[in-house]
Amino acid sequence: MIPIYIGYDPRESQVLDVARWSAYRRTSTPLQIEPLVLKDLEAQGIMKRPMEVRDGKLWCPISEAPMATEFAISRFAVPFMRQGGWAMFCDCDVLFLKDPVKLLDLVDPSYAIMAVKHQQRESEAVKMDGQTQTFYRRKNWSSVVLWNLDHPANKRLTNEMLNTWPGRDLHAFKWLEDHEIGELPLAWNYLVGASASELDPADVSLAHYTLGGPWFAGWSGATQWDELWSREESILRAFEEHAVQIPG
């Protein structure tokens, strides 16, 4: 199975728990899931970028822009954590609704990465927790990525680039040409409330709550997607209360 790296932010540990649980609950084979913890990557010498807090929000001095999460940039550390093979990255605000092993049917070694090629709508000015949306080429592609770590094009990404490029260049996969990026079906990174096409939950493999969800205090949503996430968390907590050992 492709190892799965999930973005970690201490403010959203509850959300990561649910994302990881949703994958374990639906998999047909054992999974290797690892949170991407910024302080651990810094201790390993992989991440060296400065980060500040301005007006109570994370700020990237290199990008001169806010960071919605601690893993805004650290997601691009995946190629420096493994020597080869395929690896998956996803944001923590996701739900796996289908077996993650199905991703193996989609990998194509001719590509350096594979992602859902979203087209951002200009009306999306605000995202989760009141964070301001930023606009750049290949917006939202980096929120769910299959990395082909054996592809020579990924060798162009150096640790210096990781730690000195503005975030917008990394999120746009500036080191890759268009023909080096394969396309995943929308079902594998369905942006709840933001995707250009509407999908029924039964047709979605991975739901991405990029605009936020029921874990936020005062969240006013009451959609079927909110209910899906809340039900998943309830199942997880019920298992925890009954002392059932959860994988990982």
Side-chain angles (χ1 to χ4, degrees):
M1 178 54 199
I2 298 171
I4 300 174
Y5 294 93
I6 302 182
Y8 172 78
D9 189 297
R11 300 167 300 172
E12 297 186 344
S13 58
Q14 167 197 16
V15 187
L16 183 143
D17 287 347
V18 175
R20 179 167 47 188
W21 163 251
S22 70
Y24 282 134
R25 194 161 80 89
R26 292 172 175 84
T27 187
S28 57
T29 65
L31 294 179
Q32 177 189 343
I33 299 179
E34 181 177 341
L36 276 182
V37 182
L38 180 59
K39 65 178 183 180
D40 292 344
L41 295 171
E42 291 173 337
Q44 296 169 39
I46 297 175
M47 293 298 301
K48 307 166 189 175
R49 297 172 68 99
M51 185 172 64
E52 301 174 0
V53 177
R54 296 187 184 181
D55 299 323
K57 296 184 178 181
L58 297 177
W59 180 267
C60 176
I62 295 174
S63 309
E64 296 186 343
M67 300 166 61
T69 65
E70 283 193 2
F71 56 86
I73 303 298
S74 62
R75 70 188 68 210
F76 301 103
V78 171
F80 304 95
M81 300 175 67
R82 300 187 68 85
Q83 296 301 310
W86 286 84
M88 178 188 185
F89 169 84
C90 64
D91 284 7
C92 64
D93 53 350
V94 304
L95 272 186
F96 285 86
L97 298 176
K98 300 286 177 65
D99 186 350
V101 176
K102 296 295 184 182
L103 285 166
L104 291 172
D105 298 332
L106 303 176
V107 296
D108 184 334
S110 67
Y111 296 116
I113 67 163
M114 300 185 71
V116 176
K117 298 182 177 181
H118 298 290
Q119 299 297 319
Q120 188 179 19
R121 298 185 298 200
E122 292 296 324
S123 60
E124 297 165 9
V126 178
K127 62 185 297 186
M128 61 169 218
D129 203 18
Q131 300 277 2
T132 301
Q133 284 277 24
T134 53
F135 295 86
Y136 45 80
R137 187 173 178 233
R138 299 169 177 167
K139 173 74 175 179
N140 278 320
W141 294 19
S142 64
S143 54
V144 176
V145 179
L146 289 182
W147 289 88
N148 181 359
L149 303 179
D150 293 316
H151 199 286
N154 281 324
K155 307 305 179 186
R156 301 180 199 138
L157 178 64
T158 66
N159 189 255
E160 181 181 4
M161 293 174 183
L162 174 66
N163 286 290
T164 60
W165 273 12
R168 58 185 171 273
D169 289 345
L170 291 167
H171 284 277
F173 300 99
K174 190 177 177 180
W175 69 94
L176 297 177
E177 301 294 335
D178 287 342
H179 70 272
E180 294 168 333
I181 302 176
E183 186 164 10
L184 293 176
L186 176 61
W188 279 103
N189 188 6
Y190 179 68
L191 305 179
V192 175
S195 281
S197 301
E198 296 290 335
L199 294 182
D200 186 272
D203 299 322
V204 173
S205 302
L206 184 146
H208 181 192
Y209 292 74
T210 185
L211 301 181
W215 58 89
F216 285 130
W219 179 254
S220 58
T223 68
Q224 59 181 336
W225 297 101
D226 296 317
E227 293 169 2
L228 271 176
W229 191 91
S230 297
R231 182 161 65 248
E232 195 74 29
E233 186 192 31
S234 296
I235 295 170
L236 168 59
R237 302 310 173 199
F239 269 72
E240 290 177 333
E241 288 176 8
H242 290 86
V244 176
Q245 185 176 3
I246 296 173

